[in-house]
Amino acid sequence: MGFFRNWKHVLESNVEQAEHEGRINIDPLLLDQYPDAVYVLDRDLNFVDSNEKLSLLFSGEEERFVHPASWLPKIESERVHAFHQRALQGETVHYELKALNADKRRIHLSVTNTPLYTGRVITGLYGVVKDLTTQMELRERYNRMKVGRTLFERIPGLILIELDLESGEFYHSPQTGELLGLSKRQLGDMKREHFRNMIHEDYRPEFAAAIETLIHDADVQEYETQIKAFNPKQQKYLDLIVKVGMSKDRKSVTWAMFDVTNLVKVEEALTMEQSKVKQLCEIVDSVIFERYFETKQFKFLTPGFSHIFGYTEDQFNTHPDYWQRVVVPDDVPKVNQAREVTLSGKTTTFSYRIYAKGNVKWIEENREPIFSEDGIVIGFRTLVKDITQLKEQQQEIWRLASLDPITNMPNRESITGSVYQLTRKRDPFTLFSLSFNRIAEINNTFGYELGDEWRVATVNQLIRLLPQDALLGHLDADNVLIVLPRRMEDQEVLALGKELGTLSKHRFHIDAYDLFARISIGVSRYPEDGAQASELIKHACVAMNRADKKFGTKLELYSSQMDIESLKRYELLRDMRGALKNNEFYLMYQPKVNAWTGQIVGAEALMRWTHPTWGSISPAEFIPLAEESSLHLDLTNWLIEEVCRYITSLKHRVPISINVSAKYLYQERFERVFEEMLDRFHVPASYLEVEISETSLLDDAQQITQAFERLNSLGIPIAFDDFGKGYSSLAYLQAYSAQTIKIDRIFAHNVNQSRKAQGIIRSLLLIAEEFGMNVVVEGVEMMDDLLRLREFGCHVIQGFIFSRPLRESDFEQALETGTLIPIEEYVETIQPSNRLIHAGITITRLRNQAVAVGTSPIVIMKRGFKAIAFYGSIRLPVDSDINLVILLDDGQPSLPIQVTRLTELANGLYQYEATYEQTVELEKRLTALESDKPRGFTIQQAKDLVEG
């Protein structure tokens, strides 16, 4: 930059005037003195001046050079403009350009832009342009020569020897010593006479004369001959073809020698390789050819083209666009895309279909570009394979992988994928999860072969009942998923569910047996029941499991306003997590009492939930919902903490039991929660008992055994709850280390009148005594039943006859008293009638908002003055802001009611008393709808009337 330092005083002369006028002072003499091309631009990038060297570089069009948009591509022009702007901001920038000058000659330029200051103000920029074209060409030529020499030296049997005539030094290629039989030392010491002496004496004079002529005659540039040269290692003469050349500066001589024997071997090997390639291509249905874009001609390197494509080579070369008629139209875009990839200079592999002799074939191409000397893609070379058989095998593999091998229906992965595709379309659809619920029993009883026949028979019968647009797939065993690609309303779901439910009555003839299914169906709908495929399928299965536990119709919708039960379940599930945070859950305690003395010997903690709308909710309603997610884990943790806290507060402590789901025991280190709470509240472990429902135990005996052992190691006793209802009750007693069995209420209720129940209870008492276990009998309500149980020797009773569940304060008061007196339950509060009315109940308003839901069945048993009593299987709130109406079967206006009392019965029913506006017309309607009670009817049979 010395030139610009010399220029500086000229540019800064009369600075104030120059700054004021915004002009640039330039000395032309200094411009011309600079060794490289120079140009000057003002702040608006207008041309100001340049030297002669720029004019020579661009043939007098120097102003064109400083306006890059006129001679450079858009991208390059924008790049130069950006560099100019950076220079005007005070930065010195360097960059290179490749372009064509005015003479259409390709040039390579190096440009430096520097800001031009007038005083402290940037008034423009100057550029220094260096022509690197010659330098770059020399570099490229050298690189090509270097690459050429390297490739040349790798040819088997070929050596290269160069002699520097001035220094007398030899250069030899790496293979020289091996071919001529010379050591590295011999090659290093080689002189001209050594090399001459290696040549057979018969060839030596002629060869020496030719070399002398080549050296001294400027008109001679090269010489070629064939000689014999002696190889001392092999002790024989080699036949060599020698080509000798003189360099342009005539300072060096180069000998290229090739062993003729090796040439023959190479030719034979090449012929053999060509034969192998040809044979291989024929074996694997492949062909290699080249195609050039300009001529549109095919050059076939191996035979077999017509065998693959079904057309001759001449047909393609005669009609260059003939391939467009061969490729299946849907796959033409693939071929066009491959052409673009090739033009970009990249290799590509792709497959497509062609028409060949009336058949459709799959073709795979491995295509690589062919470049010209200038580096431009002029065509491509490709290996073409017929992969039709491979594609057919892939399709068969995919079919086998996506279908159930027994029924040939879509398997879980396949049907899940179909649901996933529907969610991507975002159109509503409906899922039915249906289980025949027999495969495990059939496999265990009759064997897996008959189980496979069961699956085939049930699916075939199911298909006959499905709509045309239904898609069916297996989820597991005899559980299937039915996909309806449309949203079905509640009534449509019920109608199809009723049709599918007839499979429960179908007699399946399997081998020599007649077998029946136990159908349960769950339904979920997109998008209201989930946005993801896995979520929707899970919710359909959750609803199916609900249906399996339901009395009567075995169909459940995951969420619906089909009836009050569905609406209530939906709202409970929605509000449950928030309820735990808002402290809406609380505990009640049902005493365990000595059957003879009435002394309170323990209690069971029962969770309750006060819902803002639905009032008090029992565990039978919300625990199954909690177990559909992981929320039951949080609820159980809360339960353990609350009970331990309460035990600490009691003056008169008794053991308190808590209900824990078997699923809770599958957590890693679940016992830490128990251990932490016992230590935190200083509660002896014997005061906390864990009740596990015998019907909820899972099949993993090892897991449950270890869980029981971990609890017992803490000193916490375990009780089997609801004992006797499961299939493996006695086996559980033997397998697991529990200390107490709680005989289920179904055996205690009316035990005085049931000889079978008496036999079961006596047997269980005898077994418990043999195992050294305690016994608690649940659900005792009648004095006759209590007396009978005392007679059998039952020591501990838990039932309404002694006490219903009590609040904390009431239970503490009962402990103060110490004993409870048995009081028989009376549920009849209105004068009973010998007649009943079947009806339905629904909600018209919820939280001051009008709602439209279906009805839930009820049975009206008694009527009084402005009062009515009915039974139902759903728990309704008392004195709430829910507007309830009874719908009668006569189609007349509904009957608004206000529930005033709720009584929970032992058989899962609820008895309600309600008030209503009594009129003469209404009483006539009610009387007209009455029907006689069945003979011997009791309230315990009301469930059959409600659910049936």
Side-chain angles (χ1 to χ4, degrees), residues 663-725:
K663 293 180 182 179
Y664 186 85
L665 306 182
Y666 274 68
Q667 295 180 98
E668 183 179 8
R669 305 303 301 272
F670 70 87
E671 70 275 11
R672 285 183 178 179
V673 178
F674 288 94
E675 190 173 12
E676 179 184 344
M677 294 304 164
L678 292 174
D679 291 343
R680 176 179 166 187
F681 293 102
H682 307 290
V683 175
S686 59
Y687 278 91
L688 183 66
E689 183 181 52
V690 171
E691 293 188 9
I692 306 290
S693 173
E694 182 252 326
T695 56
S696 74
L697 285 176
L698 307 180
D699 293 333
D700 192 342
Q702 183 178 0
Q703 183 89 20
I704 297 298
T705 299
Q706 291 180 0
F708 278 27
E709 290 174 353
R710 283 145 69 183
L711 286 172
N712 288 161
S713 67
L714 293 176
I716 299 175
I718 301 170
F720 281 135
D721 196 15
D722 303 329
F723 193 80
K725 292 173 64 177

Side-chain angles (χ1 to χ4, degrees), residues 17-184:
Q17 182 179 357
E19 290 180 348
H20 178 72
E21 296 176 359
R23 59 186 173 81
I24 301 174
N25 294 320
I26 301 172
D27 187 342
L29 179 60
L30 291 176
L31 284 175
D32 291 335
Q33 288 177 348
Y34 197 71
D36 295 315
V38 179
Y39 65 91
V40 182
L41 305 181
D42 63 16
R43 285 198 62 83
D44 296 326
L45 300 181
N46 296 315
F47 177 75
V48 176
D49 201 357
S50 66
N51 61 7
E52 185 178 359
K53 296 177 181 64
L54 187 70
S55 177
L56 292 174
L57 187 60
F58 284 90
S59 303
E61 297 187 12
E62 58 273 17
E63 287 196 49
R64 174 174 172 267
F65 169 75
V66 298
H67 295 94
S70 64
W71 64 288
L72 284 175
K74 182 179 179 182
I75 295 178
E76 284 291 281
S77 174
E78 291 175 349
R79 191 167 72 95
V80 172
H81 181 75
F83 284 125
H84 285 165
Q85 292 297 330
R86 287 168 60 182
L88 291 175
Q89 296 299 319
E91 181 181 354
T92 298
V93 292
H94 307 275
Y95 53 95
E96 293 185 3
L97 293 174
K98 290 181 181 180
L100 298 176
N101 64 4
D103 298 330
K104 305 300 182 183
R105 182 171 64 90
R106 187 180 298 275
I107 58 176
H108 192 111
L109 305 177
S110 172
V111 184
T112 300
N113 289 137
T114 303
L116 180 57
Y117 287 88
T118 302
R120 295 176 300 276
V121 179
I122 297 176
T123 55
L125 63 87
Y126 56 82
V128 178
V129 184
K130 294 184 178 182
D131 186 357
L132 303 179
T133 306
T134 302
Q135 180 181 347
M136 297 302 294
E137 288 177 350
L138 289 174
R139 184 186 301 171
E140 291 176 2
R141 187 181 307 165
Y142 170 76
N143 289 335
R144 286 198 298 270
M145 290 175 62
K146 187 175 180 181
V147 171
R149 172 178 282 186
T150 302
L151 293 174
F152 188 82
E153 291 173 347
R154 291 177 181 174
I155 299 175
L158 185 66
I159 63 174
L160 197 68
I161 300 176
E162 291 182 1
L163 172 62
D164 189 319
L165 294 174
E166 293 181 350
S167 66
E169 293 181 353
F170 276 89
Y171 162 82
H172 48 81
S173 61
Q175 300 180 104
T176 303
E178 182 180 354
L179 181 63
L180 298 180
L182 301 175
S183 66
K184 290 184 179 180

Side-chain angles (χ1 to χ4, degrees), residues 599-716:
Q599 180 186 358
I600 301 175
V601 296
E604 179 181 359
L606 302 173
M607 296 180 69
R608 293 290 188 266
W609 175 16
T610 304
H611 190 275
T613 301
W614 296 94
S616 181
I617 311 296
S618 74
E621 291 183 275
F622 65 79
I623 291 297
L625 296 178
E627 289 188 353
E628 292 176 3
S629 66
S630 61
L631 184 59
H632 76 95
L633 302 177
D634 296 332
L635 283 175
T636 304
N637 292 339
W638 175 86
L639 172 64
I640 297 169
E641 181 178 3
E642 283 296 299
V643 170
C644 288
R645 178 197 59 77
Y646 184 60
I647 293 174
T648 302
S649 68
L650 293 176
K651 293 181 181 179
H652 305 282
R653 292 185 182 181
V654 293
I656 295 180
S657 61
I658 59 174
N659 286 279
V660 175
S661 167
K663 293 180 182 179
Y664 186 85
L665 306 182
Y666 274 68
Q667 295 180 98
E668 183 179 8
R669 305 303 301 272
F670 70 87
E671 70 275 11
R672 285 183 178 179
V673 178
F674 288 94
E675 190 173 12
E676 179 184 344
M677 294 304 164
L678 292 174
D679 291 343
R680 176 179 166 187
F681 293 102
H682 307 290
V683 175
S686 59
Y687 278 91
L688 183 66
E689 183 181 52
V690 171
E691 293 188 9
I692 306 290
S693 173
E694 182 252 326
T695 56
S696 74
L697 285 176
L698 307 180
D699 293 333
D700 192 342
Q702 183 178 0
Q703 183 89 20
I704 297 298
T705 299
Q706 291 180 0
F708 278 27
E709 290 174 353
R710 283 145 69 183
L711 286 172
N712 288 161
S713 67
L714 293 176
I716 299 175

